[in-house]
């Protein structure tokens, strides 16, 4: 793997982390909007964030062999 591809991969992983955090905050907000207590809303938001991060990593596992 070249240095350029490694930097590209790190940039994409960083964007995936930010995107999953944003999705987690949205999930937390929706849970609070429907009236869930804070501890349940944190659980729902973290489940959304982990699911989105898993999806991003799975997509990277498919896309990276095509790039290299």
């Amino acid at each position: 793997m070249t240095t350029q591809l490694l930097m590209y991969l790190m940039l994409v992983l960083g964007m995936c982390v930010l995107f999953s955090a944003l999705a987690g905050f949205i999930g937390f907000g929706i849970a609070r909007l429907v009236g869930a207590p804070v501890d349940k809303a944190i659980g729902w938001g973290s489940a959304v964030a982990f699911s989105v991060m898993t999806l991003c990593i799975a997509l990277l596992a498919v896309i990276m062999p095509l790039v290299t």
Side-chain angles (χ1 to χ4, degrees):
M1 179 175 280
T2 64
T3 306
Q4 288 88 5
L5 282 177
L6 184 61
M7 292 302 291
Y8 179 69
L9 178 63
M10 290 174 65
L11 179 68
V12 170
L13 280 174
M15 298 267 303
C16 285
V17 167
L18 290 176
F19 182 66
S20 68
L22 177 66
F25 284 131
I26 291 171
F28 174 81
I30 290 174
R32 288 295 292 159
L33 189 65
V34 297
V38 174
D39 58 339
K40 293 279 188 183
I42 290 173
W44 291 357
S46 64
V48 169
F50 289 137
S51 298
V52 170
M53 192 64 196
T54 303
L55 176 65
C56 285
I57 290 172
L59 286 175
L60 277 176
V62 171
I63 293 172
M64 282 307 291
L66 299 175
V67 174
T68 58

